[in-house]
Structure formats: C-alpha cells, structure tokens
Amino acid sequence: MVAFHQCTYDSFLSFRGQDTRSAFAAHLYEALRRNDINTFMDDKLKHGGEISQSLLKVIEESTISIIVLSKNYASSPWCLDELMKILECRKTRGQQVLPLFYNVYPSEVRNQTNSIGEAFAKLEERYKHDQMKLRRWKTALSQVANLSGRLLGNNISNSFYLIRKNSKFIRDFICIKIIF
C-alpha cells in the first residue's frame, strides 16, 4: 500500500548535465516555472562523489520525477543513483515518473545498446568490482524504459516546441500527472 506523503516540490528534474543542462533541461525547467510548477533542478549541488542525502530527500519530497534520458545519462553513477531512488519512490510513495527519451529510444535504454550501451560500458569498467550495483543500475534503466514517457527525437526544434510557454506538452502531459 502506498502512503500519502507531503511534497515540497511539484517535480524533480533528473538529467545528465553534459548532454542537456544548458539546452533542453534549462528550457524545460523555465517552462515548468512559468507554468507555476515548483521544480527542483540540481544545478547547485556538488557532483563527483556519491549522491547526497539531501538530494535523496528532495527526490522523496517531489510529486513527480521527470527523467531526461540522454546519450550519456548511463555514464553517470550520480544519475543512476538518482534513477534508483526515483523508482523506489514510485514503488513506495506512489510518485509519478515521467521519462523523456532525449535523442535515445526506449529500447536503447531498456537493453543498454547504442550510445546508452557505450555510456554504460564506461561504468562497467569503473565498477567491475561492484557487480551488485551494476545489476541494480541495469535493472533501473530497464524499468524506466518500460514506463510511459515521451520520445524527443533528433529534431531539436521539435523538442523545444514541446516546452514553449503554455505549450500543450506542459499543460496536458506534466500538469495532469502532478494533479493526479
């Protein structure tokens, strides 16, 4: 049974900075803000080591997590730890999860092939001593790829169209998930 929890944020935005921070993720964040959706974007926390307890708490205190899955998302232990926490909150807290497949296909994420597979291979080399963690990350990638999400293809202008002020995407796709 899923318990009701008080949420501090409407949404938590998970993304790989090197792929999307200054372009898509920043525009999505601004569009969410313009539509009065209180969104946490991790642009001030220090990266590099293990995910912080404060960030895990922010994930727990969000109504919905929006995951921007991109070519290098699977090369980041930080992103994959966020993803595992997000999926845990989906299961235990009923948190809504919205995957956005940015220039990758769900099947690439699910099966760790093509650019996602190449990115994950870098981690496999670095974490070869921790097979349990690697299995959990692979499972999380497969699980998120099986969720209903949105495919944002190679046509970047179409992706930006989706997040313009008052766009149908923001109103109909994200706001409805937050309300329900």
Side-chain angles (χ1 to χ4, degrees), residues 96-110:
Q96 295 289 317
V97 177
L98 174 61
L100 301 178
F101 299 94
Y102 186 79
N103 293 331
V104 296
Y105 291 99
S107 61
E108 294 173 310
V109 176
R110 182 180 307 108

Side-chain angles (χ1 to χ4, degrees), residues 36-95:
D36 296 321
I37 299 171
N38 182 18
T39 302
F40 182 87
M41 180 173 167
D42 179 10
D43 56 352
K44 294 175 182 66
L45 297 176
K46 203 172 197 179
H47 289 202
E50 289 187 15
I51 194 166
S52 70
Q53 290 301 310
S54 60
L55 187 59
L56 295 175
K57 186 170 173 43
V58 168
I59 293 170
E60 289 175 357
E61 294 174 347
S62 299
T63 303
I64 182 174
S65 283
I66 303 167
I67 306 164
V68 181
L69 295 147
S70 58
K71 290 190 264 187
N72 291 299
Y73 190 91
S75 69
S76 167
W78 188 284
C79 288
L80 294 173
D81 285 342
E82 280 182 2
L83 178 60
M84 288 193 320
K85 182 62 174 182
I86 288 166
L87 293 173
E88 174 191 313
C89 288
R90 178 178 184 265
K91 183 178 179 181
T92 62
R93 297 171 168 268
Q95 185 179 93

Side-chain angles (χ1 to χ4, degrees), residues 153-176:
N154 288 322
N155 187 341
I156 302 302
S157 62
N158 285 343
S159 298
F160 287 119
Y161 171 77
L162 288 173
I163 58 175
R164 280 192 195 141
K165 183 178 180 181
N166 299 320
S167 74
K168 188 167 179 56
F169 173 71
I170 297 294
R171 287 192 321 270
D172 296 346
F173 201 66
I174 295 175
C175 292
I176 287 172

